[in-house]
Amino acid sequence: MLEAVKLSSERDDRPLFCGLSFRVDAGDWVQITGGNGAGKTTLLRILTGLSRPDGGEVRWQGQPIARGREDYHQQLLWIGHKPGVQGRLSALENLRFFHPDGDEVHCIEALEQAGLAGFEDVQVQQLSAGQARRVALARLWLSRAALWVLDEPFTAIDACGVASMTRRMEQHVALGGAIILTTHQLLNVPDVNVRRIALVGGERAL
């Protein structure tokens, strides 16, 4: 599906990573690890096309994403470190915004799966940080995208919520989808199911 080819990135003349190459195929679950400031979010933004690398390129289905951006983004679900939801809209209205072709019943079911039953019509600005995060993550139950790129998806989510989100991710990869994520939480899945790529001071370590 996705291929990173000799990616390099710098911040304030300091290399975050250099010559980073890897592939992500159907059924892959990849966790990007590293300390604060190692470049995890920068890498995810490069992989989604939101930022440009200082060197190398990202390919989707063998083609540079810059050439097939529209097709790539149709196959991509990106949820960043910030929820990216609108505070003045209700939880349900936010989902309908992201999925205008989605059935309202399915949107309500997705919110229920995300732990927001009864909060469908509440404005996001009136929700807690964890609940606002759940609104964004409810998209996991609606998205048909093949590739999910998730930056710290479990931030402000309790243990029960993390378990529910993890099960949904397991379903996605079992059906041939792929996930790239960062998280400080321990993934409660067998180690053999997750490939880890560590960013360490301008180098890559597996």
Side-chain angles (χ1 to χ4, degrees):
M1 285 186 175
L2 187 76
E3 186 176 10
V5 183
K6 297 182 179 179
L7 293 180
S8 298
S9 181
E10 295 183 359
R11 179 188 298 156
D12 300 326
D13 296 325
R14 177 176 66 88
L16 296 175
F17 44 85
C18 181
L20 178 62
S21 297
F22 60 91
R23 290 171 54 93
V24 180
D25 293 314
D28 282 352
W29 189 336
V30 178
Q31 180 182 2
I32 309 299
T33 67
N36 291 335
K40 300 185 297 296
T41 294
T42 297
L43 175 58
L44 293 193
R45 290 182 59 85
I46 289 172
L47 295 177
T48 59
L50 294 174
S51 299
R52 293 185 178 183
D54 292 311
E57 66 179 9
V58 179
R59 299 171 184 167
W60 172 253
Q61 307 289 19
Q63 179 175 310
I65 60 174
R67 297 181 188 173
R69 189 177 300 275
E70 183 175 350
D71 177 64
Y72 176 50
H73 284 171
Q74 288 178 351
Q75 296 298 317
L76 171 69
L77 172 64
W78 158 250
I79 298 180
H81 189 61
K82 295 182 179 180
V85 291
Q86 299 296 318
R88 294 185 178 181
L89 298 181
S90 69
L92 179 57
E93 288 171 336
N94 268 282
L95 283 196
R96 296 302 302 273
F97 173 79
F98 285 115
H99 300 275
D101 298 329
D103 183 274
E104 182 171 314
V105 173
H106 290 157
C107 290
I108 292 174
E109 290 175 348
L111 289 169
E112 182 178 354
Q113 293 285 349
L116 290 171
F119 292 89
E120 299 88 350
D121 297 320
V122 178
Q123 286 184 320
V124 168
Q125 62 189 5
Q126 297 176 3
L127 299 176
S128 69
Q131 289 172 323
R133 190 70 177 169
R134 288 173 185 261
V135 173
L137 291 169
R139 300 180 63 196
L140 300 182
W141 280 270
L142 294 173
S143 176
R144 297 179 181 177
L147 175 64
W148 295 357
V149 180
L150 314 172
D151 191 7
E152 296 293 344
F154 304 136
T155 298
I157 303 295
D158 60 23
C160 183
V162 170
S164 177
M165 307 299 173
T166 302
R167 287 193 298 270
R168 179 66 187 107
M169 294 178 194
E170 288 181 298
Q171 292 172 355
H172 180 64
V173 296
L175 292 172
I179 296 174
I180 306 172
L181 85 163
T182 65
T183 177
H184 286 99
Q185 300 273 2
L186 179 65
L187 285 173
N188 190 22
V189 295
D191 283 343
V192 295
N193 292 350
V194 180
R195 179 157 51 99
R196 291 177 173 85
I197 298 175
L199 301 181
V200 186
E203 302 176 353
R204 184 196 69 164
L206 298 181

